[in-house]
Each structure stands twice: as structure tokens, then as C-alpha cells.
Amino acid sequence: MVEELAAQAWFVRIRTSEATPAFIDFAVGKATLQEAIVAILHRPDLELGDEVTSTSQLTAREISSYRLRPDEVRTYGRRIYNAAAGRWIFERGMVD
């Protein structure tokens, strides 16, 4: 059985509006950027005030490498700013 991959997909980075800011990265198998953003904004881990900070269209090679299916929304972790350490820390707990 051949796995169907998304024909088009997007990488979208969201900055949360929490007291401690965080970035969440998503790969989304949608035809348009608008469809990708809508698919992300309905997720329960995001809140009103969170914002898209960057987007890019994935190449066919990236889609194949990620094995991203049509309509799939996949998180790639959450980075939180640690003021005490003065740097961003990657948190793997959110990966689907």
C-alpha cells in the first residue's frame, strides 16, 4: 500500500501570548497558507492572542522526508524562553 503524501504543505511558526513566551512549530499538509493557518488556530494548545511569526512552503523533498499526509497538522515541539539561563529551551512534550 502506497502512502498518500500531501501535494502541498507549509511550515508555520506560532508565538504564544503566554506570560512566558514560547514558539511552536507546525508542518501542515494543506494546499494554501490560509488553509494551513486555519487548521492550526483551531488547536486546543493555542489561545486568542497567539500569532503567526513566520511561514514557508515545504518542498516536495521536505514533504516526502516528513511523510506528511494531506490535511495533517504536526507539531515539532515548543521552545520556551528561560530568562534565568538567558536562552530558548526546546521542550519535546508537545510533539504529536
Side-chain angles (χ1 to χ4, degrees):
M1 182 172 161
V2 176
E3 181 179 32
E4 181 185 358
L5 298 178
Q8 300 221 329
W10 301 86
F11 179 83
V12 181
R13 177 167 287 155
I14 302 284
R15 185 181 191 279
T16 65
S17 59
E18 302 167 329
T20 303
F23 287 98
I24 306 172
D25 297 326
F26 294 91
V28 186
K30 292 285 189 177
T32 68
L33 178 56
Q34 287 180 323
E35 290 174 329
I37 291 172
V38 167
I40 292 169
L41 293 180
H42 290 292
R43 293 179 58 95
D45 44 347
L46 297 179
E47 299 176 358
L48 188 63
D50 293 351
E51 63 181 313
V52 175
T53 61
S54 66
T55 63
S56 63
Q57 189 169 14
L58 297 176
T59 65
R61 174 174 254 157
E62 290 169 323
I63 293 169
S64 178
S65 175
Y66 297 156
R67 300 182 65 189
L68 194 64
R69 296 182 307 268
D71 299 321
E72 183 176 11
V73 177
R74 190 182 306 163
T75 60
Y76 281 93
R78 178 182 180 108
R79 291 177 299 144
I80 299 172
Y81 187 73
N82 182 325
R87 63 186 175 99
W88 291 90
I89 297 173
F90 187 69
E91 184 180 90
R92 293 188 186 270
M94 284 188 57
V95 176
D96 290 340

